[in-house]
Amino acid sequence: MDCLKRIRPIEAEIFEEAEKEADLSNVPLERLLIEQGVVSDLDMVLATAAYLDIRPMALAAFTPDRELFDLIPRDKWKELKAVPLAKLEGRLSIAMADPFDIVGRETIASGTRLELVPLVALESEILGAIESISEEPSQGLEDLLKDMANESDV
């Protein structure tokens, strides 16, 4: 929490109340602080990156590589909230919403048989990247018109 407090100073009273509520409700403190609006999800990503000494990654303008998604079943990426970024010399860079998820990291490493280079990113951006890769390319209007013309010739 020290990394988070350096990024976003939190009043001691607010922090103590949030700790108590997190304990009582069995909700992770980090999630509770975000839900209560005490910190943003970006603050948490930056704090996690600082704590783990890894890089944060913005995925808003990122175009995923479909081939990298095929390294393990696609539904696993969504389940683990992770996105493959790049593969180079036996190493796979991945962005994760929760880089503390050691089991998830091991699942990806064993499934790909590659050494992982984890980065941290916003969960919403990771899910958006996964969604964009999951969508089937739509048929272009020109192709659709050609198909309709060919059908009418029959």
Side-chain angles (χ1 to χ4, degrees), residues 54-55 92-96 99 105 116-120:
I54 61 176
R55 293 180 185 253
L92 180 66
S93 296
I94 61 168
M96 298 183 76
R105 286 167 58 171
L116 295 186
V117 178
L119 295 95
V120 62

Side-chain angles (χ1 to χ4, degrees), residues 133-150:
I133 203 77
S134 298
E135 295 171 357
E136 291 297 319
S138 59
Q139 186 177 23
L141 180 59
E142 189 175 327
D143 292 339
L144 188 60
L145 292 173
K146 283 181 188 176
D147 289 347
M148 288 172 60
N150 289 339

Side-chain angles (χ1 to χ4, degrees), residues 1-33:
M1 284 296 146
D2 288 340
C3 290
L4 178 60
K5 288 178 182 178
R6 281 194 296 272
I7 290 169
R8 177 75 52 211
I10 303 169
E11 291 180 29
E13 286 179 25
I14 293 173
F15 189 78
E16 288 171 13
E17 285 298 317
E19 279 184 315
K20 288 176 188 173
E21 188 174 335
D23 285 341
L24 290 173
S25 62
N26 202 25
V27 173
L29 177 60
E30 297 83 0
R31 182 165 308 208
L32 186 69
L33 290 170

Side-chain angles (χ1 to χ4, degrees), residues 92-104:
L92 180 66
S93 296
I94 61 168
M96 298 183 76
D98 181 9
F100 291 103
D101 181 2
I102 303 301
V103 173

Side-chain angles (χ1 to χ4, degrees), residues 69 71-84 96 101 103-104 107-108 111 130:
F69 269 92
L71 292 172
I72 62 172
R74 289 192 182 187
D75 59 328
K76 266 297 181 206
W77 293 112
K78 188 171 186 175
E79 176 187 325
L80 300 172
K81 295 179 184 143
V83 173
M96 298 183 76
D101 181 2
V103 173
T107 299
I108 296 169
I130 293 169

